């Protein structure tokens, strides 16, 4: 198992398939993009599957989420999903995407064994979408959401970041729209993971603000804490249910005590926390011919050293050097 010194056990693996993205979201990367990882630095399909197999069969991982960058830009994504779905024991498989390309791949991903998707959508207004992402692709995201729902990649979850002065007034409309389309909406506080290191706490739309907007239009009943478990989102029943809305308040309501995640970057580094400034290199071990036993030891050691919390409330907090696109969300 992947145990740390605080008694937490990591059973949820986030795997970044690429650092590349076809959007330029203002909270994620600059308009000109970033210096992408060179292909030799990226894990191969075989290396990804080997590490997922090791995590599932030897280290106690039960859930695998494929992320990026934008994971649908990975040419072998369907094959990776299919091979991971064939593992015994079979992990639950999900994917976080910006939705561009999902309309043409949803069925193939479902047939390969993907269980569900999370899709990033921050606004219902195409003009605001263009300002936030610097791309005219709003219709593609909407089509991707619909395709995922139609083929059964459910529950389809929408991840939304509210940005002050851009879309911070859209929370009620987004929730009403999501409920009408049978999607589960989750608001995420903007986190300090931008490569420009321009994040300011005062500019962030907080969970408290989001809930204040929502409760002015809906009746929200909190789920019992036992239902949440280690999930990052606090959830509420909307107008008595069954619809739900979630808020991931990583900054103002951190959930580090219940964290059960371990992360693998696209270039084969283990991160024991989204905000960690240290990584453990598994790629070199893989390519040096190390056996599974040795790689498992490195992974366990990486998790054993996990800190108690993210440190966001510490005045000495420093953002990770690598941006979210490289880390994997």
């Amino acid at each position: 198992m992947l145990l740390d010194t605080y008694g937490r056990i990591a059973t949820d693996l986030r795997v970044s398939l690429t650092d590349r993205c076809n959007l330029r979201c203002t909270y994620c990367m600059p308009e000109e993009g970033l210096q992408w990882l060179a292909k030799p630095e990226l894990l191969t399909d075989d290396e990804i599957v080997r590490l997922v197999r090791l995590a599932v069969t030897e280290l106690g991982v039960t859930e695998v989420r494929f992320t990026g960058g934008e994971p649908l830009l990975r040419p072998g994504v369907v094959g990776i999903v299919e091979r991971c779905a064939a593992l015994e024991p079979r992990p639950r498989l999900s994917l976080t995407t910006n939705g561009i390309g999902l309309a043409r791949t949803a069925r193939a991903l479902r047939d390969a064994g993907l269980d569900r998707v999370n899709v990033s959508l921050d606004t219902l207004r195409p003009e605001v979408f263009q300002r936030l992402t610097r791309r005219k692709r709003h219709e593609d995201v909407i089509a991707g959401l619909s395709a995922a729902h139609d083929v059964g990649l459910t529950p389809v979850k929408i991840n939304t970041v509210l940005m002050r002065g851009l879309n911070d007034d859209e929370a009620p409309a987004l929730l009403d729209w999501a409920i009408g389309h049978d999607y589960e909406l989750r608001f995420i506080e903007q986190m300090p993971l931008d490569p420009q290191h321009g994040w300011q706490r005062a500019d962030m739309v907080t969970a408290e603000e989001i809930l204040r907007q929502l409760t002015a239009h809906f009746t929200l009943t909190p789920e019992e804490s036992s239902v949440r478990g280690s999930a990052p989102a606090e959830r509420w029943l909307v107008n008595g249910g069954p619809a739900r809305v979630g808020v991931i308040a990583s900054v103002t309501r951190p959930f580090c005590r219940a964290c059960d995640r371990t992360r693998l970057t696209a270039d084969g580094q283990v991160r024991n926390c989204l905000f960690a400034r240290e990584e453990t290199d598994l790629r070199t071990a893989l390519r040096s011919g190390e056996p599974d036993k040795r790689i498992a030891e490195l992974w366990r050691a990486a998790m054993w050293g996990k800190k108690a919390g993210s440190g966001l409330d510490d005045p000495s907090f420093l953002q990770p050097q690598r941006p979210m696109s490289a880390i994997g969300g």
Side-chain angles (χ1 to χ4, degrees), residues 161-229:
V161 177
L162 296 182
M163 301 289 289
R164 203 171 297 284
L166 283 173
N167 63 338
D168 56 347
D169 61 338
E170 287 197 63
L174 279 160
L175 179 53
D176 189 57
W177 181 83
I179 292 172
H181 289 79
D182 193 29
Y183 306 142
E184 184 175 323
L185 181 62
R186 293 127 51 90
F187 293 96
I188 304 176
E189 288 182 336
Q190 184 196 4
M191 293 178 283
L193 292 168
D194 59 304
Q196 307 95 317
H197 287 202
W199 178 88
Q200 297 290 331
R201 184 181 293 264
D203 295 336
M204 178 187 65
V205 180
T206 66
E208 183 178 355
E209 292 176 81
I210 294 165
L211 291 169
R212 191 159 55 239
Q213 281 193 47
L214 295 179
T215 54
H217 295 81
F218 305 93
T219 299
L220 301 185
T221 306
E223 281 190 332
E224 295 184 11
S225 57
S226 59
V227 176
R228 180 183 183 185

Side-chain angles (χ1 to χ4, degrees), residues 19-34 36 73 98 100 129-135 196:
D19 62 326
R20 296 173 184 263
C21 190
N22 42 12
L23 296 180
R24 297 291 181 270
C25 297
T26 55
Y27 52 78
C28 189
M29 65 177 67
E31 186 170 3
E32 65 274 13
L34 299 168
W36 308 125
L73 293 180
N98 62 27
I100 297 173
F129 182 90
Q130 186 175 350
R131 290 179 64 190
L132 280 166
T133 68
R134 306 182 178 105
R135 297 291 186 270
Q196 307 95 317

Side-chain angles (χ1 to χ4, degrees), residues 9-222:
I9 299 172
T11 57
D12 184 335
L13 170 61
R14 307 294 171 95
V15 181
S16 176
L17 298 182
T18 179
D19 62 326
R20 296 173 184 263
C21 190
N22 42 12
L23 296 180
R24 297 291 181 270
C25 297
T26 55
Y27 52 78
C28 189
M29 65 177 67
E31 186 170 3
E32 65 274 13
L34 299 168
Q35 182 66 46
W36 308 125
L37 293 166
K39 187 173 181 180
E41 297 179 64
L42 296 172
L43 293 177
T44 66
D45 293 1
D46 287 346
E47 288 169 338
I48 290 171
V49 174
R50 181 183 172 189
L51 289 175
V52 173
R53 175 183 57 76
L54 179 63
V56 169
T57 62
E58 301 294 334
L59 298 175
V61 164
T62 58
E63 182 162 350
V64 178
R65 172 89 61 86
F66 298 108
T67 70
E70 172 45 50
L72 296 185
L73 293 180
R74 175 92 185 200
V77 59
V78 173
I80 291 170
V81 169
E82 185 173 29
R83 293 169 67 184
C84 292
L87 294 172
E88 291 291 343
R90 185 196 188 282
R92 182 162 174 79
L93 301 174
S94 59
L95 181 142
T96 295
T97 172
N98 62 27
I100 297 173
L102 188 56
R104 68 174 182 271
T105 56
R107 186 170 299 277
L109 288 166
R110 192 279 314 273
D111 291 347
L114 192 70
D115 293 303
R116 64 169 194 83
V117 293
N118 285 32
V119 180
S120 298
L121 178 66
D122 300 324
T123 178
L124 297 176
R125 298 177 290 193
E127 70 279 6
V128 176
F129 182 90
Q130 186 175 350
R131 290 179 64 190
L132 280 166
T133 68
R134 306 182 178 105
R135 297 291 186 270
K136 290 185 176 181
R137 305 300 297 271
H138 190 260
E139 289 184 2
D140 296 323
V141 180
I142 301 301
L145 280 161
S146 179
H149 186 275
D150 288 348
V151 303
L153 291 173
T154 53
V156 175
K157 296 183 179 180
I158 296 177
N159 294 339
T160 296
V161 177
L162 296 182
M163 301 289 289
R164 203 171 297 284
L166 283 173
N167 63 338
D168 56 347
D169 61 338
E170 287 197 63
L174 279 160
L175 179 53
D176 189 57
W177 181 83
I179 292 172
H181 289 79
D182 193 29
Y183 306 142
E184 184 175 323
L185 181 62
R186 293 127 51 90
F187 293 96
I188 304 176
E189 288 182 336
Q190 184 196 4
M191 293 178 283
L193 292 168
D194 59 304
Q196 307 95 317
H197 287 202
W199 178 88
Q200 297 290 331
R201 184 181 293 264
D203 295 336
M204 178 187 65
V205 180
T206 66
E208 183 178 355
E209 292 176 81
I210 294 165
L211 291 169
R212 191 159 55 239
Q213 281 193 47
L214 295 179
T215 54
H217 295 81
F218 305 93
T219 299
L220 301 185
T221 306

